[in-house]
Amino acid sequence: MKIKAYGIKDKNGIAEPFYYERNVGDNEVSVKIVYCTIARGDVQFISDDWGDTKYPLVPGHEIIGIVEGTGANVTALKAGDHVGIGYQQEACFECEFCKEGNEQFCTQQKAIGVHCYGGLADHIIIDNRFAFKLSPALRSVNSVPLLSSGLTVYAGIMRAQLPANSVVGVLGAGGLGQLAIRFLHKMGHEVYAFSHSPEKKEMVQQLGAEFILSSNLNTNKKFDLIISTLNAPYDLDAYLRILKPQGKFCIVASPLEKQPISLGLLYDYAQRTIYGNYVGNRKQMTEMLAFSEKHNIGSEVEVMPFSKVNEAIEKVRTGKIKIRLVLENDK
Amino acid sequence: MKIKAYGIKDKNGIAEPFYYERNVGDNEVSVKIVYCTIARGDVQFISDDWGDTKYPLVPGHEIIGIVEGTGANVTALKAGDHVGIGYQQEACFECEFCKEGNEQFCTQQKAIGVHCYGGLADHIIIDNRFAFKLSPALRSVNSVPLLSSGLTVYAGIMRAQLPANSVVGVLGAGGLGQLAIRFLHKMGHEVYAFSHSPEKKEMVQQLGAEFILSSNLNTNKKFDLIISTLNAPYDLDAYLRILKPQGKFCIVASPLEKQPISLGLLYDYAQRTIYGNYVGNRKQMTEMLAFSEKHNIGSEVEVMPFSKVNEAIEKVRTGKIKIRLVLENDK
């Protein structure tokens, strides 16, 4: 089928109508797109900040849509189903990672908006195993950021295997950080949000966290887990020092530049851990969606129509938007 | 009782006869010292490299000795038993860490040669729970370095929970690194030793590892675990890049200075982990000793008498000794 998308032809270019052909494979579904987010990561990719962007680029990897067509082998989904789509279009389902259920590490995978055309389009065609059926409660525009940001912080948190009532910190109170606070609060932990923005104090308190100004990090709390969502430089050592001896530091975002670390803080009278988390697997996606539905977790969002895509990209690029931005297909 | 030790009175001072009084508590044993190691860590502590050395200092925290006296509550040991002693003299046995069996994180603990007088002495008095009964096979002078170095690398490795036949790397081929290679080889893993010293190639091959020159790190191997025993700077990013997507990097030593790291390597299409390991707990000590006995694991050592302690310290300080140095009580 012929798919109409918004394509960016070169570095920092504007999004323009772009058409490509793709047919629905036996394991695939075609999905009419309803919502798609644009986040700072997408804009960094448009600007080729990592040096590996391939143009033309169709950005967008947090999608809610409605199934239209299904391939011959597809039984789990049918036309009319609402689905959520995250970071992945396909995987080989044969390698060591796929076999253990961690398709996010498959070297043959296609990451949406990176290795294949993304969600700023009328449709997307995707392996049905990466289209997650959404109950009515999860079809809201506020659920869209769950599909990648939500999964990333949820999986990162769950991998810490925290005991009940742990003391946890969230570094950064943007899109990822706010979702992390919501999850941790509803999991029943004692949550602290570190931010350099005093104006975020009230907001993070409403989400269920105590506010700690990161420029003045004097707390006598000792943390079981700190999750960092920051892509600006910060004093990593300072946060390692306030971890308990067996504490964990989870990284889901980071500055592009190398950061200094005192490695001795990881073992001196301690066995501290730093671990990265890259999105999550399908099992974690299903768990995260169920948890979000149960506890009514979503993101504050601003909604703009697809037809204003370039205005939206500019808003994210210039930091003029303080909450998550979702584009709605106005066709 | 009055204990004769070798004490260092000030920074970089020489070891001189030093006497202190300590009686055997109800849970304690007095141990006549037979062997005690001197390693680079002891010399760094003598030189106050970390800025927290308290003088007078009696160094030495890898000890083999023979029980002489036992406190009223001691049933596990009796006079004449050969025991191994590691990094710890006592702990509170009441805090959260002690209760879970991780006394090495107890904030009330006394680390030998740091918070209390160490093994360069005729005797040491120690909580019987930190004196590990040694079978005849483990009383050899080659077993002495197991008691802290061996425990540190063994516990670090075991915490990775490696599947059988993993691909593992050991960074540095000194005292810690050689023991790590021996353990990993006997565990049945595929072991590679990274070193900047080509002259160590034959030695590491004899221990069971393939040699990779660290100055020319082109290997197409992907590692499940790399354990770093280096206290000199190295290119951490280069080693993170050769980890599998779920690979682990264990740190048991490190340079004093901050090191640069690209944090994105921990999560970009991966969930890599860096964890520190500080010695081990009593269960791990018992397991490590049993494993070492079963597989005949020990260190190559040079032996000198206690009376030549200053000559020994100087040898370690100037790097003139390439294997582990054990002092033997020549009284």
Side-chain angles (χ1 to χ4, degrees), chain A residues 185-214:
Chain A
H185 174 61
K186 292 297 184 184
M187 288 171 186
H189 301 301
E190 186 180 332
V191 191
Y192 297 81
F194 302 98
S195 169
H196 66 286
S197 309
E199 70 275 15
K200 290 194 172 173
K201 182 171 181 173
E202 198 178 337
M203 180 270 292
V204 304
Q205 286 172 337
Q206 281 169 357
L207 299 182
E210 281 194 45
F211 181 87
I212 298 178
L213 195 64
S214 52

Side-chain angles (χ1 to χ4, degrees), chain B residues 1-40:
Chain B
M1 63 188 279
K2 186 176 184 181
I3 294 176
K4 184 190 170 188
Y6 289 92
I8 289 154
K9 300 221 174 87
D10 39 39
K11 185 169 171 168
N12 285 324
I14 62 162
E16 295 174 286
F18 168 78
Y19 296 87
Y20 69 95
E21 279 284 340
R22 183 175 167 121
N23 292 323
V24 180
D26 288 348
N27 291 312
E28 294 182 326
V29 291
S30 65
V31 175
K32 182 174 163 55
I33 292 173
V34 178
Y35 298 123
C36 177
T37 62
I38 286 287
R40 67 185 181 200

Side-chain angles (χ1 to χ4, degrees), chain A residues 100 246 261 267 274 278, chain B residues 100 246 259 261 267 274 278:
Chain A
E100 68 182 27
Q246 294 173 100
I261 177 177
Y267 64 82
I274 303 179
Y278 173 69
Chain B
E100 70 184 25
Q246 297 173 99
Q259 297 300 302
I261 176 175
Y267 64 83
I274 304 179
Y278 173 70

Side-chain angles (χ1 to χ4, degrees), chain A residues 27-318:
Chain A
N27 292 312
E28 293 183 327
V29 291
S30 66
V31 175
K32 182 173 164 55
I33 292 173
V34 179
Y35 298 124
C36 178
T37 61
I38 286 286
R40 68 184 182 199
D42 299 302
V43 173
Q44 288 177 298
F45 205 62
I46 291 170
S47 308
D48 197 19
D49 281 2
W50 293 283
D52 59 354
T53 304
K54 290 198 172 50
Y55 301 93
L57 163 69
V58 178
H61 61 283
E62 289 174 320
I63 299 161
I64 285 181
I66 299 167
V67 174
E68 282 190 348
T70 56
N73 298 339
V74 177
T75 55
L77 294 172
K78 60 180 191 308
D81 283 345
H82 281 69
V83 290
I85 296 170
Y87 57 94
Q88 205 163 359
Q89 185 192 39
E90 54 183 70
C92 78
F93 287 100
E94 287 177 358
C95 70
E96 59 174 315
F97 303 114
C98 285
K99 279 183 183 157
E100 68 182 27
N102 285 314
E103 300 92 358
Q104 73 270 36
F105 308 130
C106 172
T107 55
Q108 306 300 311
Q109 75 175 295
K110 295 219 169 121
I112 294 178
V114 178
H115 308 119
C116 64
Y117 300 128
L120 278 186
D122 285 352
H123 293 86
I124 191 165
I125 291 170
I126 183 170
D127 191 302
N128 80 98
R129 290 164 284 194
F130 295 117
F132 297 84
K133 194 168 171 175
L134 298 178
S135 66
L138 288 170
R139 293 170 196 171
S140 140
V141 67
N142 305 99
S143 299
V144 196
L146 294 174
L147 293 155
S148 179
S149 294
L151 175 61
T152 298
V153 294
Y154 180 87
I157 292 164
M158 293 308 283
R159 286 180 47 221
Q161 299 183 293
L162 292 172
N165 307 309
S166 288
V167 179
V168 293
V170 177
L171 194 41
L176 287 160
Q178 290 173 32
L179 281 172
I181 295 169
R182 288 177 198 263
F183 285 128
L184 287 162
H185 174 61
K186 292 297 184 184
M187 288 171 186
H189 301 301
E190 186 180 332
V191 191
Y192 297 81
F194 302 98
S195 169
H196 66 286
S197 309
E199 70 275 15
K200 290 194 172 173
K201 182 171 181 173
E202 198 178 337
M203 180 270 292
V204 304
Q205 286 172 337
Q206 281 169 357
L207 299 182
E210 281 194 45
F211 181 87
I212 298 178
L213 195 64
S214 52
S215 56
N216 181 21
L217 199 59
N218 48 23
T219 170
N220 51 17
K221 284 282 167 188
K222 289 290 182 183
F223 291 82
D224 294 286
L225 171 71
I226 295 174
I227 180 166
S228 175
T229 67
L230 290 178
N231 63 359
Y234 56 94
D235 183 354
L236 179 52
D237 280 7
Y239 293 95
L240 294 180
R241 283 198 190 91
I242 58 173
L243 287 178
K244 288 183 185 172
Q246 294 173 100
K248 294 168 183 175
F249 193 88
C250 175
I251 290 173
V252 296
S254 65
L256 284 177
E257 309 78 33
K258 291 189 184 204
Q259 297 300 304
I261 177 177
S262 297
L263 294 169
L265 290 171
L266 295 178
Y267 64 82
D268 208 14
Y269 296 102
Q271 52 187 37
R272 300 193 177 100
T273 298
I274 303 179
Y275 64 99
N277 191 67
Y278 173 69
V279 290
N281 59 29
R282 294 187 296 143
K283 184 165 172 284
Q284 289 162 330
M285 178 76 98
T286 305
E287 280 176 21
M288 180 276 297
L289 289 171
F291 188 88
S292 298
E293 180 171 359
K294 181 175 176 188
H295 296 287
N296 195 26
I297 291 175
S299 294
E300 293 294 307
V301 298
E302 179 174 336
V303 185
M304 293 175 69
F306 269 29
S307 53
K308 292 194 175 170
V309 56
N310 286 302
E311 195 181 314
I313 290 170
E314 206 47 33
K315 263 189 145 171
V316 176
R317 194 196 304 274
T318 54

Side-chain angles (χ1 to χ4, degrees), chain B residues 14 19 42-43 108 151 162 166 180 200 203 217 232 281 328:
Chain B
I14 62 162
Y19 296 87
D42 298 302
V43 173
Q108 306 301 312
L151 175 62
L162 293 172
S166 288
K200 289 193 172 173
M203 180 269 292
L217 200 59
N281 60 28
E328 183 171 14

Side-chain angles (χ1 to χ4, degrees), chain B residues 1-305:
Chain B
M1 63 188 279
K2 186 176 184 181
I3 294 176
K4 184 190 170 188
Y6 289 92
I8 289 154
K9 300 221 174 87
D10 39 39
K11 185 169 171 168
N12 285 324
I14 62 162
E16 295 174 286
F18 168 78
Y19 296 87
Y20 69 95
E21 279 284 340
R22 183 175 167 121
N23 292 323
V24 180
D26 288 348
N27 291 312
E28 294 182 326
V29 291
S30 65
V31 175
K32 182 174 163 55
I33 292 173
V34 178
Y35 298 123
C36 177
T37 62
I38 286 287
R40 67 185 181 200
D42 298 302
V43 173
Q44 288 177 300
F45 205 64
I46 291 170
S47 308
D48 197 19
D49 280 2
W50 294 282
D52 60 353
T53 304
K54 289 198 172 50
Y55 302 94
L57 163 69
V58 177
H61 61 283
E62 291 174 318
I63 299 161
I64 286 182
I66 299 167
V67 174
E68 282 190 347
T70 57
N73 298 341
V74 178
T75 55
L77 294 172
K78 61 181 192 308
D81 284 344
H82 281 69
V83 290
I85 296 170
Y87 56 94
Q88 206 163 359
Q89 185 193 39
E90 56 184 70
C92 77
F93 287 98
E94 287 177 1
C95 70
E96 59 174 316
F97 303 114
C98 286
K99 278 182 182 158
E100 70 184 25
N102 285 315
E103 299 92 359
Q104 73 270 36
F105 308 131
C106 172
T107 55
Q108 306 301 312
Q109 75 175 294
K110 295 220 169 120
I112 294 177
V114 178
H115 308 120
C116 64
Y117 300 128
L120 278 185
D122 285 351
H123 292 85
I124 191 166
I125 291 170
I126 183 170
D127 190 302
N128 79 100
R129 289 163 285 193
F130 295 117
F132 297 84
K133 194 168 170 177
L134 298 178
S135 66
L138 288 170
R139 293 171 196 170
S140 137
V141 67
N142 305 97
S143 299
V144 196
L146 294 174
L147 294 155
S148 178
S149 294
L151 175 62
T152 298
V153 294
Y154 180 88
I157 292 163
M158 294 308 283
R159 286 180 49 220
Q161 300 184 292
L162 293 172
N165 307 309
S166 288
V167 179
V168 293
V170 177
L171 195 40
L176 288 160
Q178 291 174 31
L179 281 172
I181 295 169
R182 289 175 197 264
F183 285 128
L184 287 161
H185 174 62
K186 292 297 183 184
M187 288 169 186
H189 301 301
E190 186 180 333
V191 191
Y192 297 82
F194 303 99
S195 168
H196 67 286
S197 309
E199 69 274 15
K200 289 193 172 173
K201 183 170 181 173
E202 198 179 338
M203 180 269 292
V204 304
Q205 285 172 337
Q206 281 170 356
L207 298 182
E210 282 195 45
F211 181 88
I212 298 179
L213 195 63
S214 53
S215 56
N216 181 21
L217 200 59
N218 47 24
T219 171
N220 51 14
K221 284 283 167 186
K222 289 289 183 183
F223 290 82
D224 295 285
L225 170 71
I226 295 174
I227 180 167
S228 175
T229 67
L230 289 179
N231 62 0
Y234 57 95
D235 183 354
L236 179 53
D237 280 7
Y239 292 96
L240 295 179
R241 282 197 191 91
I242 57 173
L243 286 179
K244 288 183 185 171
Q246 297 173 99
K248 294 169 183 173
F249 193 88
C250 174
I251 290 173
V252 297
S254 65
L256 284 177
E257 309 77 33
K258 290 188 184 206
Q259 297 300 302
I261 176 175
S262 296
L263 294 169
L265 291 172
L266 295 178
Y267 64 83
D268 207 15
Y269 297 100
Q271 52 188 36
R272 300 194 177 100
T273 298
I274 304 179
Y275 64 98
N277 190 68
Y278 173 70
V279 292
N281 60 28
R282 292 186 297 143
K283 183 164 172 286
Q284 289 162 328
M285 177 76 98
T286 305
E287 280 175 22
M288 180 277 298
L289 289 172
F291 188 90
S292 298
E293 180 171 358
K294 181 176 176 188
H295 296 286
N296 195 25
I297 291 175
S299 294
E300 293 293 307
V301 298
E302 178 175 333
V303 185
M304 292 174 69

